[in-house]
Amino acid sequence: MVNKAEILMHPVRIKISQALMRNRENGLTPLEMLKIIKDVPQATLYRHIQVLLDSGVIRIVKEKKVRSVSEKYYVLNEEEARLSGEEWKKSSNEKKLNYYSYYQLSLMTQYQNYLTKLEERDCSEDGSTFSLLELKLDDESFINFQNELNDLMIKYYKATNQSAKQDSPIRTIGVTIIPES
């Protein structure tokens, strides 16, 4: 069996997943993905799409005939695109650090893109924020905190599916929880 964490946490596959998250209604063709993910060669993109498809992380939502070719539209299988606690526990500490590095790199890239957009618009209004907070919580309170935070994020994630206006900007929320430091 292939390690799901290795499938999900590859830098190119993270970019594909993010592009599909942003286009979860209609999906994207590989050519549309290439326009979004500009730093990945076409052959590499196709190879990683196939890995995600074979593992069930993405699926074909529709096919459209364009001339003599059938264009496939892919969407993210959101349940399959998540690691369970058990899957995460199976990873070695070295792998976890690698995955965490990919996650941080992905956030850094998105933040760089955001700052570039601000600069291009000649806008000085930076709405980004980050914070570091240490909480002294017993195990039960810590679990409750994690569950409430997860519920809150899922609530707004689902709301973007239902009511978001087409011209609403995409907001990236990155959370890291370290149980004991």
Side-chain angles (χ1 to χ4, degrees):
M1 183 175 140
V2 177
N3 183 336
K4 189 174 177 182
E6 287 185 28
I7 290 169
L8 292 173
M9 299 307 290
H10 187 281
V12 173
R13 295 191 284 266
I14 288 172
K15 290 177 182 183
I16 293 169
S17 297
Q18 288 173 329
L20 292 175
M21 270 191 259
R22 293 176 179 177
N23 295 279
R24 57 183 171 253
E25 298 296 316
N26 300 314
L28 292 172
T29 67
L31 292 177
E32 290 171 329
M33 286 184 223
L34 276 173
K35 291 177 185 171
I36 296 168
I37 309 167
K38 296 177 175 128
D39 61 337
V40 176
Q42 186 172 353
T44 302
L45 182 79
Y46 277 99
R47 189 171 62 252
H48 288 287
I49 287 171
Q50 192 61 52
V51 169
L52 291 168
L53 186 64
D54 291 345
S55 66
V57 173
I58 65 173
R59 64 184 167 83
I60 298 168
V61 70
K62 66 182 172 183
E63 291 189 47
K64 207 186 250 185
K65 198 86 162 156
V66 179
R67 296 183 203 116
S68 62
V69 178
S70 182
E71 229 176 25
K72 294 176 179 151
Y73 288 77
Y74 296 91
V75 293
L76 197 63
N77 280 335
E78 293 183 15
E79 287 304 312
E80 289 297 316
R82 289 190 183 97
L83 282 179
S84 70
E86 282 306 307
E87 291 165 322
W88 183 248
K89 287 176 189 172
K90 290 178 186 175
S91 300
S92 70
N93 287 346
E94 183 181 349
K95 292 273 187 195
K96 288 177 182 177
L97 283 172
N98 285 340
Y99 302 148
Y100 185 74
S101 296
Y102 296 147
Y103 163 76
Q104 289 294 326
L105 185 60
S106 174
L107 283 178
M108 178 74 88
T109 301
Q110 289 185 42
Y111 190 63
Q112 280 178 316
N113 292 340
Y114 167 72
L115 292 175
T116 300
K117 284 180 185 176
L118 283 182
E119 208 170 70
E120 288 169 355
R121 294 181 194 144
D122 198 26
C123 180
S124 61
E125 190 64 35
D126 182 357
S128 66
T129 183
F130 61 91
S131 60
L132 179 63
L133 178 66
E134 293 186 351
L135 303 173
K136 191 167 185 155
L137 300 173
D138 61 34
D139 288 346
E140 183 180 344
S141 297
F142 179 65
I143 290 168
N144 288 339
F145 170 77
Q146 284 185 299
N147 290 337
E148 289 174 28
L149 183 60
N150 189 51
D151 290 346
L152 182 66
M153 292 177 73
I154 288 171
K155 171 188 167 186
Y156 282 94
Y157 181 74
K158 286 181 178 177
T160 62
N161 271 351
Q162 297 161 355
S163 64
K165 297 175 185 155
Q166 276 306 82
D167 58 347
S168 295
I170 294 167
R171 319 274 184 184
T172 299
I173 311 295
V175 177
T176 301
I177 295 177
I178 303 170
E180 197 171 324
S181 53

